[in-house]
Amino acid sequence: MNTRDLALRRDAAAAIARDAAQGAFLMRARGMGAASFKGAQDFLTEADGATERFIRDRLAVIFPGEAVLGEEMGGGLGAVDGPLWIIDPIDGTSNFSRNGDRWCVSIGMALDGKAVVGAVARYVPSEVFAGAKGCGATLNGVPIRASAIDSMALATIEVGWSMRRPLAAFHQLSQSIMGMGAGLRVGGSGTLGLVEAANGRLEGYIEQHINSWDACAAVAIAREAGAWVNDFDSGDWLSSGNPVGIGAPALGPILAPLLGP
């Protein structure tokens, strides 16, 4: 797949993600944002499923036959040698279900097992982050770059909390970050934290485990924004997830060891 093909998929993903974010916002206004639970602190709303169906339907029209893996409906893992769309219909569902604004729609694409295309859209504020391998990264069409800060004493780092890792490990990671002099943030949407690290609003986002649908799009965007990115899309990341880190290039050597070997 050449650069033109990737750019075409980036632009399509950005348009679909923008429309999906608007649709999710309107569904919430109609009462489809009430939360049920898949597990402890694992929120689900009617809008999650409806938004994923919308994205799948749009992708099927524009790119018929290309495989899709989604948070709510699964699928797709048999097509790891070709294009694989990886979608999180609403990331930050806990915020979404409480009528907050810190949530987003994430549409990524992997090719030959690597994240190469991404689009992440918010409705409020109206923002679309997008990127594709070899094509750069943008926010609302304007090029973005990762932070140039090279000191943890000047940095703000978001630390994601995962129920799939011991709480003590999260506490230790947070203490390590603050012990290095950085400010700490936890925002409730891993995808937004990752793209904000790509955009330089943060100097880093790290999490000890995150799923492929939460991070694929952001990883593709971050690489094109010149950010430090760990080897998230390696091993069994598509089905099992991995630790993730994105941040200022100068801080990568400091942040990477915190995620372990």
Side-chain angles (χ1 to χ4, degrees):
M1 190 173 293
N2 60 33
T3 301
R4 184 179 178 213
D5 293 329
L6 295 174
L8 175 67
R9 283 162 174 77
R10 173 205 61 199
D11 294 345
I16 296 169
R18 180 198 62 225
D19 292 347
Q22 179 182 24
F25 180 86
L26 295 174
M27 281 187 272
R28 185 175 68 178
R30 296 197 299 268
M32 296 172 66
S36 59
F37 292 87
K38 295 182 282 186
Q41 296 299 316
D42 193 358
F43 290 72
L44 178 67
T45 71
E46 187 179 354
D48 285 91
T51 301
E52 183 164 327
R53 286 190 294 274
F54 170 82
I55 295 169
R56 285 174 176 269
D57 289 347
R58 288 278 294 272
L59 288 173
V61 170
I62 303 171
F63 305 110
E66 295 191 355
V68 179
L69 170 65
E71 178 178 12
E72 307 305 334
M73 300 177 191
L77 289 175
V80 294
D81 292 331
L84 174 62
W85 292 98
I86 303 174
I87 57 180
D88 189 345
I90 300 175
D91 185 75
T93 305
S94 61
N95 296 330
F96 177 84
S97 68
R98 292 186 168 99
N99 291 316
D101 294 328
R102 192 164 178 76
W103 57 273
C104 63
V105 173
S106 177
I107 304 176
M109 194 192 82
L111 184 66
D112 298 327
K114 294 295 182 181
V116 295
V117 171
V120 174
R122 302 182 72 179
Y123 185 69
V124 180
S126 179
E127 294 185 329
V128 180
F129 298 84
K133 185 177 180 180
C135 302
T138 60
L139 169 57
N140 292 346
V142 178
I144 58 174
R145 298 295 294 174
S147 172
I149 283 178
D150 60 2
S151 167
M152 288 290 281
L154 302 176
T156 297
I157 307 294
E158 182 163 348
V159 179
W161 171 54
S162 172
M163 290 287 289
R164 294 170 292 278
R165 291 293 181 267
L167 185 58
F170 170 78
H171 288 160
Q172 181 58 55
L173 181 59
S174 300
Q175 289 168 7
S176 296
I177 291 292
M178 296 182 73
M180 295 176 181
L184 184 71
R185 194 178 84 174
V186 180
S189 169
T191 303
L192 282 180
L194 289 166
V195 292
E196 289 183 338
N199 188 38
R201 291 177 182 169
L202 298 169
E203 278 62 57
Y205 180 100
I206 57 176
E207 185 169 340
Q208 292 163 322
H209 182 273
I210 199 167
N211 288 313
S212 57
W213 44 81
D214 297 306
C216 177
V219 164
I221 293 165
R223 287 189 177 127
E224 291 301 302
W228 160 72
V229 182
N230 80 323
D231 59 348
F232 170 75
D233 51 350
S234 63
D236 199 25
W237 72 285
L238 288 170
S239 59
S240 301
N242 261 332
V244 70
I246 287 175
L251 299 183
I254 298 171
L255 295 173
L258 299 178
L259 291 172

